[in-house]
Amino acid sequence: MSTRSAVLLLLVTLTAQSIGCAISPAMRQAFMDPGKEQRERKEEIHRLVDQRHVQSRLQAASAMLDAGRYEDCERVLGEIAKIDPYCKEMHLIRGEILMGQSKFAEAAALYEKILQTHPADANLHHLHAMALEFSGDSVAAMIAFQRAAELSPDSSLIQLSQIRGSAPGTTTR
């Protein structure tokens, strides 16, 4: 807001008060904080740009994961973490990298950490259960599979995970 506009707004406000007119909250806000609207617009633009950057980097990371380029994928995930350290999709891709590298215990720990902020995500419980099972913790895996089934009773993939084989401790998938 220019100096001239601010002075004009001040004169209008003082004149309105002197003749007994009420000043609208919007006019009062414009006088008290003239740059607020512009700051809010800038913040929104920055948020949208960051969101676009995250989405494009997630797509790139996913393609790198599919190609087995784990180091490149981790580099891109690091860029995402700088923008949004709480990005669920970033953590899920990181879990897939760990699973692809047969680091099942680390993947299970990562999925457990994500579950703290997304406890109602059936697919996340299923991924956690798979990591637990591959790491050798069949009891914890069975509990996680059951939780996934409770959260998503209509998912055929999750329901199939509940079918136990004839040998104890084995699961048919």
Side-chain angles (χ1 to χ4, degrees):
M1 180 180 283
S2 69
T3 306
R4 184 175 180 182
S5 298
V7 170
L8 183 60
L9 183 59
L10 178 60
L11 288 173
V12 169
T13 304
L14 292 174
T15 304
Q17 284 181 337
S18 68
I19 60 173
C21 294
I23 301 171
S24 73
M27 185 178 255
R28 185 175 294 123
Q29 180 63 36
F31 178 69
M32 299 302 286
D33 189 2
K36 180 180 179 187
E37 187 176 320
Q38 289 176 331
R39 276 194 318 278
E40 287 174 347
R41 264 191 274 165
K42 275 185 171 179
E43 288 170 4
E44 178 66 11
I45 289 169
H46 285 293
R47 190 187 63 75
L48 291 172
V49 168
D50 283 347
Q51 190 176 38
R52 284 252 172 112
H53 284 294
V54 166
Q55 290 304 316
S56 64
R57 283 176 172 85
L58 283 171
Q59 289 174 347
S62 184
M64 290 172 189
L65 175 66
D66 291 342
R69 296 172 39 206
Y70 299 136
E71 288 179 20
D72 293 335
C73 188
E74 276 292 346
R75 181 184 48 76
V76 172
L77 294 177
E79 293 171 6
I80 294 170
K82 290 177 186 173
I83 298 170
D84 182 5
Y86 304 105
C87 178
K88 177 183 170 186
E89 293 82 6
M90 172 194 63
H91 292 297
L92 290 174
I93 292 173
R94 194 164 271 143
E96 288 184 56
I97 291 170
L98 292 170
M99 293 288 284
Q101 295 174 330
S102 299
K103 298 177 180 178
F104 304 119
E106 289 178 50
L110 176 64
Y111 290 136
E112 191 169 333
K113 183 178 176 183
I114 302 169
L115 278 167
Q116 291 174 358
T117 54
H118 303 281
D121 187 330
N123 290 324
L124 187 53
H125 280 280
H126 187 256
L127 291 170
H128 183 228
M130 289 183 1
L132 286 167
E133 187 166 303
F134 287 129
S135 70
D137 191 349
S138 297
V139 174
M142 187 171 60
I143 293 168
F145 278 128
Q146 288 172 346
R147 181 67 181 139
E150 290 169 6
L151 290 170
S152 185
D154 298 330
S155 170
S156 58
L157 173 66
I158 292 174
Q159 295 306 318
L160 282 173
S161 297
Q162 298 300 300
I163 300 172
R164 302 303 272 172
S166 55
T170 62
T171 303
T172 306
R173 290 203 203 331

